């Protein structure tokens, strides 16, 4: 399996459980890994055989920037669902970090890995 990487998407959304966290949008940082076979695009040197990471990233950005979640786990799952169900990624690894969420730590976050089996009806499980 080959992997397309998108690193350090710096976005803002409503995230957190406490009232003060939900008043304003907070920074989140996303790293995405999409596992697939890049040989068709490599063999032809043509985007037609490739996975459109620009369209997928734009969809992720649109989701995150308008989202309101209590947990980074829920946000990460929603991002993975977009990659897997809407953009046909056979495998997605999503890392979501919330800078400044914990005193004395740079950030707090989660890493999840999902495949189409995790979204049998296109809905997060």
């Amino acid at each position: 399996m080959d992997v397309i990487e998108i690193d350090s998407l710096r976005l803002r959304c409503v995230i957190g459980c406490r009232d003060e966290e939900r008043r304003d949008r907070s920074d989140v940082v996303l790293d995405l890994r999409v596992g697939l076979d890049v040989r068709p695009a490599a063999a032809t040197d043509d985007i037609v055989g490739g996975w459109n990471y620009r369209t997928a990233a734009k969809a992720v950005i649109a989701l995150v920037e308008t989202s309101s979640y209590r947990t980074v786990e829920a946000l990460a799952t929603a991002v993975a669902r977009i990659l897997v169900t809407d953009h046909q990624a056979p495998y997605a690894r999503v890392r979501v970090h919330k800078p400044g969420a914990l005193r004395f730590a740079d950030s707090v976050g989660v890493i999840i890995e999902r495949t189409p089996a995790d979204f049998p009806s296109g809905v997060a499980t």
Side-chain angles (χ1 to χ4, degrees), residues 37-70:
D37 185 359
V38 301
R39 287 178 288 194
T44 63
D45 195 23
D46 190 343
I47 190 64
V48 171
W51 189 77
N52 192 331
Y53 59 82
R54 180 179 303 274
T55 302
K58 285 182 178 182
V60 167
I61 292 166
L63 167 85
V64 173
E65 293 273 313
T66 60
S67 70
S68 176
Y69 290 99
R70 294 193 174 282

Side-chain angles (χ1 to χ4, degrees), residues 73-92:
E73 293 87 348
L75 176 58
T77 300
V79 169
R81 185 194 58 73
I82 284 178
L83 296 173
V84 171
T85 64
D86 297 355
H87 296 276
Q88 293 73 48
Y91 163 86

Side-chain angles (χ1 to χ4, degrees), residues 8-49:
S8 300
L9 277 175
R10 289 174 177 82
L11 306 171
R12 295 182 58 75
C13 65
V14 175
I15 187 97
C17 296
R18 298 186 328 259
D19 289 341
E20 58 269 17
E21 291 177 301
R22 302 193 61 75
R23 275 195 290 264
D24 297 311
R25 296 189 316 151
S26 298
D27 294 332
V28 291
V29 180
L30 281 71
D31 294 322
L32 310 175
R33 302 291 181 266
V34 176
L36 46 85
D37 185 359
V38 301
R39 287 178 288 194
T44 63
D45 195 23
D46 190 343
I47 190 64
V48 171

